Amino acid sequence: MDLNTFESRATRATERIFSFAAFVAAAKDPSTDPRYANAWLDAEIVNALAGWEE
């Protein structure tokens, strides 16, 4: 996944829970830029909390 796609998904991630889940899944991909590892961990925590609330 290229950086523009990654940033576009990050921007749209707050629009809907499914967009956010797609963003988290893409960030988890090992081919993603390693600088996003911390963002993935934070997103995974938020994603888990959102699922718990529902």
Side-chain angles (χ1 to χ4, degrees):
M1 174 174 41
D2 67 299
L3 182 58
N4 289 330
T5 301
F6 189 91
E7 289 178 351
S8 175
R9 287 184 181 177
T11 301
R12 290 179 298 149
T14 58
E15 293 175 10
R16 299 180 56 201
I17 190 69
F18 296 113
S19 294
F20 188 75
F23 166 69
V24 172
K28 184 177 173 180
D29 182 357
S31 66
T32 302
D33 190 318
R35 294 177 294 176
Y36 293 105
N38 289 334
W40 172 80
L41 179 59
D42 292 344
E44 188 66 31
I45 292 168
V46 172
N47 194 36
L49 291 173
W52 179 76
E53 282 185 1
E54 291 176 4

XYZ file of all heavy atoms in Angstrom:
424
model
N 0.855 -1.165 0.000
C 0.000 0.000 0.000
C 0.905 1.232 0.000
O 1.825 1.323 0.793
C -0.893 -0.023 1.246
C -1.713 1.210 1.407
S -2.923 1.229 2.730
C -2.103 0.476 4.076
N 0.604 2.161 -0.884
C 1.418 3.373 -0.965
C 0.980 4.392 0.090
O -0.081 4.278 0.684
C 1.356 3.986 -2.369
C -0.017 4.517 -2.699
O -0.966 3.714 -2.714
O -0.150 5.730 -2.922
N 1.815 5.378 0.318
C 1.592 6.368 1.370
C 0.323 7.177 1.137
O -0.433 7.444 2.075
C 2.800 7.292 1.476
C 2.748 8.359 2.561
C 2.575 7.717 3.931
C 4.015 9.193 2.525
N 0.032 7.548 -0.106
C -1.173 8.326 -0.396
C -2.430 7.544 -0.056
O -3.377 8.096 0.511
C -1.204 8.761 -1.862
C -0.171 9.813 -2.148
O 0.180 10.610 -1.283
N 0.338 9.820 -3.367
N -2.446 6.262 -0.385
C -3.591 5.415 -0.054
C -3.737 5.305 1.451
O -4.843 5.399 1.998
C -3.429 4.019 -0.670
O -3.304 4.150 -2.088
C -4.607 3.123 -0.338
N -2.619 5.107 2.134
C -2.632 4.981 3.594
C -3.199 6.248 4.235
O -4.080 6.191 5.095
C -1.214 4.707 4.097
C -1.169 4.355 5.541
C -1.251 3.043 5.942
C -1.042 5.332 6.510
C -1.209 2.702 7.277
C -1.000 5.006 7.851
C -1.086 3.688 8.238
N -2.728 7.404 3.816
C -3.190 8.666 4.393
C -4.647 8.937 4.046
O -5.397 9.461 4.872
C -2.298 9.810 3.938
C -0.927 9.745 4.576
C 0.007 10.853 4.116
O -0.335 11.591 3.167
O 1.074 10.963 4.708
N -5.070 8.569 2.854
C -6.466 8.729 2.473
C -7.374 7.892 3.357
O -8.409 8.353 3.836
C -6.653 8.343 1.004
O -8.011 8.372 0.654
N -6.975 6.651 3.610
C -7.767 5.789 4.493
C -7.779 6.319 5.918
O -8.783 6.242 6.610
C -7.233 4.367 4.462
C -7.552 3.654 3.186
C -7.094 2.225 3.223
N -7.393 1.561 1.975
C -7.060 0.320 1.701
N -6.420 -0.400 2.601
N -7.356 -0.205 0.543
N -6.660 6.854 6.357
C -6.592 7.417 7.706
C -7.545 8.606 7.845
O -8.210 8.763 8.872
C -5.164 7.846 8.030
N -7.634 9.411 6.803
C -8.529 10.566 6.821
C -9.987 10.137 6.872
O -10.796 10.696 7.609
C -8.286 11.442 5.577
O -6.920 11.855 5.581
C -9.187 12.655 5.577
N -10.320 9.104 6.109
C -11.704 8.638 6.059
C -12.072 7.718 7.221
O -13.237 7.396 7.422
C -11.956 7.886 4.748
C -11.959 8.803 3.540
C -12.187 8.024 2.271
N -11.066 7.084 2.116
C -11.164 5.900 1.522
N -12.296 5.498 1.029
N -10.125 5.114 1.414
N -11.088 7.307 7.987
C -11.307 6.305 9.038
C -12.336 6.745 10.070
O -13.034 5.907 10.633
C -9.995 5.968 9.733
N -12.442 8.013 10.309
C -13.384 8.478 11.314
C -14.817 8.576 10.799
O -15.736 8.743 11.588
C -12.954 9.845 11.865
O -12.854 10.773 10.784
C -11.621 9.749 12.580
N -15.009 8.455 9.499
C -16.348 8.591 8.926
C -17.270 7.448 9.329
O -18.422 7.657 9.660
C -16.267 8.676 7.402
C -15.602 9.946 6.907
C -15.428 9.953 5.403
O -15.983 9.069 4.714
O -14.728 10.849 4.918
N -16.780 6.265 9.331
C -17.607 5.089 9.648
C -16.737 4.025 10.285
O -15.556 3.912 9.993
C -18.241 4.539 8.374
C -19.158 5.542 7.698
C -19.776 5.002 6.452
N -20.474 3.766 6.753
C -20.782 2.856 5.855
N -20.449 3.037 4.613
N -21.425 1.766 6.175
N -17.336 3.240 11.100
C -16.588 2.192 11.799
C -15.971 1.196 10.825
O -14.861 0.715 11.047
C -17.473 1.497 12.857
C -16.638 0.583 13.760
C -18.590 0.719 12.215
C -15.712 1.290 14.673
N -16.634 0.928 9.710
C -16.086 -0.026 8.754
C -14.866 0.538 8.035
O -13.923 -0.189 7.742
C -17.149 -0.474 7.758
C -18.267 -1.235 8.418
C -19.533 -0.706 8.479
C -18.034 -2.471 8.997
C -20.573 -1.398 9.098
C -19.057 -3.172 9.624
C -20.323 -2.630 9.672
N -14.876 1.832 7.770
C -13.699 2.469 7.186
C -12.529 2.393 8.155
O -11.391 2.148 7.766
C -13.986 3.935 6.849
O -14.930 4.036 5.835
N -12.833 2.591 9.429
C -11.791 2.521 10.442
C -11.223 1.109 10.539
O -10.012 0.923 10.626
C -12.339 2.971 11.803
C -11.278 3.093 12.846
C -10.397 4.152 12.830
C -11.149 2.132 13.834
C -9.407 4.267 13.793
C -10.161 2.242 14.793
C -9.294 3.304 14.774
N -12.101 0.115 10.490
C -11.635 -1.277 10.536
C -10.750 -1.593 9.325
O -9.733 -2.283 9.457
C -12.821 -2.226 10.592
N -11.109 -1.080 8.157
C -10.292 -1.281 6.955
C -8.937 -0.600 7.107
O -7.904 -1.148 6.703
C -11.020 -0.755 5.723
N -8.936 0.583 7.701
C -7.690 1.300 7.949
C -6.778 0.503 8.878
O -5.584 0.347 8.630
C -7.998 2.674 8.547
C -6.802 3.354 9.144
C -5.780 3.817 8.335
C -6.703 3.524 10.507
C -4.674 4.443 8.887
C -5.604 4.143 11.066
C -4.589 4.609 10.251
N -7.347 -0.031 9.948
C -6.566 -0.814 10.906
C -5.990 -2.057 10.226
O -4.817 -2.392 10.396
C -7.409 -1.193 12.140
C -6.668 -2.170 13.039
C -7.784 0.057 12.919
N -6.807 -2.732 9.436
C -6.338 -3.932 8.739
C -5.197 -3.589 7.777
O -4.212 -4.327 7.685
C -7.490 -4.585 7.993
N -5.305 -2.465 7.075
C -4.256 -2.060 6.136
C -2.985 -1.664 6.881
O -1.878 -1.983 6.441
C -4.740 -0.900 5.270
N -3.134 -1.008 8.010
C -1.969 -0.575 8.786
C -1.226 -1.777 9.366
O -0.024 -1.716 9.608
C -2.403 0.366 9.898
N -1.954 -2.857 9.576
C -1.373 -4.068 10.148
C -0.510 -4.821 9.128
O 0.351 -5.609 9.499
C -2.523 -4.952 10.627
C -2.135 -6.194 11.334
C -3.406 -6.885 11.794
C -3.151 -8.235 12.370
N -4.386 -8.870 12.806
N -0.741 -4.556 7.843
C -0.019 -5.231 6.768
C 1.483 -5.008 6.923
O 1.935 -3.875 7.039
C -0.498 -4.678 5.427
C 0.150 -5.355 4.233
O 1.022 -6.218 4.420
O -0.241 -5.011 3.109
N 2.270 -6.091 6.933
C 3.721 -5.954 7.126
C 4.418 -5.128 6.050
O 5.500 -4.623 6.276
C 4.239 -7.388 7.093
C 3.062 -8.277 7.038
C 1.840 -7.456 6.796
N 3.799 -4.969 4.893
C 4.429 -4.174 3.835
C 4.227 -2.669 4.047
O 4.812 -1.866 3.340
C 3.871 -4.568 2.467
O 2.507 -4.219 2.363
N 3.395 -2.310 5.038
C 3.160 -0.904 5.340
C 4.427 -0.293 5.933
O 5.188 -0.955 6.616
C 2.001 -0.767 6.345
O 0.848 -1.373 5.793
C 1.684 0.669 6.651
N 4.628 0.961 5.678
C 5.786 1.683 6.199
C 5.916 1.464 7.707
O 4.953 1.641 8.444
C 5.591 3.174 5.905
C 6.831 3.991 6.171
O 7.496 3.751 7.193
O 7.117 4.882 5.359
N 7.075 1.051 8.190
C 7.240 0.749 9.617
C 6.980 1.937 10.540
O 6.711 1.753 11.720
C 8.688 0.290 9.740
C 9.314 0.434 8.431
C 8.272 0.789 7.424
N 7.007 3.139 9.993
C 6.722 4.304 10.838
C 5.290 4.300 11.348
O 4.955 4.997 12.292
C 6.983 5.599 10.060
C 8.449 5.798 9.712
C 8.649 7.022 8.890
N 8.008 6.837 7.586
C 7.937 7.781 6.662
N 8.445 8.962 6.874
N 7.357 7.531 5.507
N 4.442 3.507 10.733
C 3.045 3.468 11.133
C 2.748 2.387 12.168
O 1.605 2.182 12.538
C 2.141 3.284 9.916
C 2.179 4.490 9.011
C 2.878 4.456 7.815
C 1.549 5.664 9.378
C 2.943 5.568 7.002
C 1.612 6.786 8.569
C 2.304 6.728 7.384
O 2.365 7.830 6.587
N 3.757 1.704 12.657
C 3.549 0.630 13.633
C 2.859 1.137 14.893
O 1.923 0.501 15.403
C 4.877 -0.032 13.987
N 3.265 2.281 15.409
C 2.628 2.831 16.602
C 1.201 3.269 16.306
O 0.303 3.089 17.136
C 3.427 4.004 17.165
C 4.718 3.561 17.802
O 4.843 2.433 18.257
N 5.693 4.447 17.831
N 0.976 3.826 15.130
C -0.384 4.228 14.757
C -1.286 3.000 14.673
O -2.437 3.036 15.088
C -0.382 4.963 13.421
N -0.734 1.893 14.134
C -1.519 0.663 14.054
C -1.908 0.181 15.446
O -3.059 -0.177 15.685
C -0.754 -0.440 13.332
C -1.488 -1.735 13.421
C -2.551 -2.123 12.660
C -1.278 -2.782 14.363
N -2.996 -3.353 13.061
C -2.237 -3.778 14.113
C -0.368 -2.979 15.389
C -2.300 -4.951 14.849
C -0.435 -4.140 16.130
C -1.401 -5.110 15.850
N -0.976 0.191 16.375
C -1.278 -0.276 17.727
C -2.358 0.585 18.369
O -3.323 0.063 18.940
C -0.015 -0.268 18.592
C -0.213 -0.726 20.035
C -0.768 -2.136 20.099
C 1.097 -0.615 20.794
N -2.240 1.901 18.248
C -3.258 2.793 18.798
C -4.616 2.553 18.137
O -5.648 2.501 18.800
C -2.860 4.254 18.617
C -1.659 4.648 19.460
O -1.314 3.899 20.398
O -1.058 5.698 19.170
N -4.605 2.387 16.817
C -5.849 2.154 16.092
C -6.472 0.821 16.483
O -7.698 0.714 16.607
C -5.593 2.199 14.583
N -5.662 -0.183 16.695
C -6.172 -1.495 17.095
C -6.860 -1.412 18.459
O -7.920 -2.012 18.670
C -5.028 -2.511 17.132
C -5.469 -3.928 17.351
C -6.295 -4.502 16.220
O -6.094 -4.112 15.059
O -7.161 -5.348 16.505
N -6.291 -0.653 19.364
C -6.904 -0.476 20.684
C -8.244 0.231 20.560
O -9.253 -0.207 21.128
C -5.952 0.287 21.619
C -4.732 -0.573 21.949
C -6.661 0.726 22.895
C -3.595 0.160 22.624
N -8.287 1.305 19.793
C -9.541 2.051 19.598
C -10.568 1.163 18.908
O -11.746 1.152 19.259
C -9.302 3.343 18.811
C -10.617 4.021 18.439
C -8.432 4.299 19.629
N -10.135 0.413 17.905
C -11.025 -0.472 17.172
C -11.631 -1.529 18.118
O -12.832 -1.809 18.058
C -10.281 -1.144 16.019
C -11.197 -1.800 15.028
O -12.274 -1.301 14.758
N -10.767 -2.904 14.490
N -10.822 -2.062 19.001
C -11.314 -3.056 19.956
C -12.315 -2.431 20.916
O -13.343 -3.037 21.242
C -10.146 -3.662 20.725
N -12.059 -1.228 21.351
C -12.982 -0.538 22.252
C -14.302 -0.229 21.556
O -15.371 -0.338 22.162
C -12.348 0.750 22.787
C -11.194 0.547 23.756
C -10.546 1.907 24.080
C -11.646 -0.141 25.030
N -14.242 0.145 20.289
C -15.465 0.433 19.534
C -16.314 -0.832 19.404
O -17.533 -0.788 19.556
C -15.129 0.984 18.155
N -15.671 -1.964 19.165
C -16.389 -3.229 19.076
C -16.987 -3.625 20.424
O -18.101 -4.169 20.505
N -16.279 -3.322 21.475
C -16.763 -3.657 22.823
C -18.000 -2.830 23.158
O -18.941 -3.334 23.754
C -15.656 -3.392 23.842
C -16.064 -3.688 25.240
C -16.176 -4.928 25.799
C -16.415 -2.755 26.254
N -16.565 -4.812 27.107
C -16.731 -3.481 27.414
C -16.498 -1.372 26.289
C -17.116 -2.871 28.588
C -16.881 -0.752 27.466
C -17.182 -1.507 28.595
N -18.017 -1.551 22.776
C -19.168 -0.690 23.051
C -20.419 -1.174 22.342
O -21.508 -1.060 22.852
C -18.869 0.749 22.648
C -18.004 1.482 23.642
C -17.841 2.945 23.257
O -18.413 3.372 22.242
O -17.140 3.646 24.003
N -20.264 -1.681 21.127
C -21.405 -2.132 20.344
C -21.917 -3.435 20.939
O -23.004 -3.821 20.922
C -21.034 -2.331 18.890
C -20.743 -1.010 18.210
C -20.270 -1.204 16.781
O -20.226 -2.336 16.284
O -19.935 -0.196 16.165
